[in-house]
Amino acid sequence: MARWYIIHAYSGFENKVKESILSEAERMGLSQLVEDVQVPAETITEVKRGKKVQVERKTMPGYVLAKLHLNDDVYHLVKNTPKVTGFLGSSGKPQAISESEAKRYFGAAELAAAAPKKTISIDYEIGDSVKVLDGPFASFNGIVEELDFDKNRVKVAVSIFGRATPVELDFEHVELTK
């Protein structure tokens, strides 16, 4: 019976490790023992230079999940894959995780694939000078006073008739001034 295992890999090389394991299993005739190899990831929306961009972010950097019929050949195939440091487990022995635990890692990825998350990363912070992109205050400059990540809103102090007036806007309606 195939079980899920967590493989520790060099951070940033997770996809390369996945491809290497699958191609090496195919080459060695072990593909029936390597059922699935996944890199848990989610899709988020970031704002860069005033534009919304969909970005895939790994939920477990440095780790790859594999559903394996573990025997000596499969163990050595994974262990000898470049950029793999080993299996997760105590005293050097691979420790299988339950199917429900594996689904929990992929649950976030499947939900993200169905509907991209509304999480937005921004390139400005409190105290930065920003420019309003649209709305009634378009082309006004101001200073970021507050960030509300729950509502994806930013409070900016803009100068109206010589007075600093706080204005609440969506993250994507503001960009960092150069």
Side-chain angles (χ1 to χ4, degrees), residues 35-91:
E35 283 190 17
D36 196 8
V37 181
Q38 295 291 327
V39 178
E42 64 183 353
T43 304
I44 63 167
T45 304
E46 291 184 347
V47 175
K48 291 191 177 176
R49 296 188 191 105
K51 304 261 191 273
K52 285 187 193 178
V53 181
Q54 296 285 344
V55 178
E56 190 168 283
R57 185 181 64 166
K58 292 173 182 65
T59 56
M60 295 172 50
Y63 294 97
V64 176
L65 273 73
K67 190 169 188 175
L68 310 169
H69 293 273
L70 198 63
N71 63 17
D72 287 343
D73 292 335
V74 174
Y75 174 81
H76 290 296
L77 170 129
V78 172
K79 196 80 166 113
N80 294 328
T81 300
K83 311 292 186 214
V84 169
T85 58
F87 284 91
L88 212 58
S90 59
S91 66

Side-chain angles (χ1 to χ4, degrees), residues 28 70 108 122 158 167:
M28 295 175 71
L70 198 63
I122 53 175
V158 293
V167 177

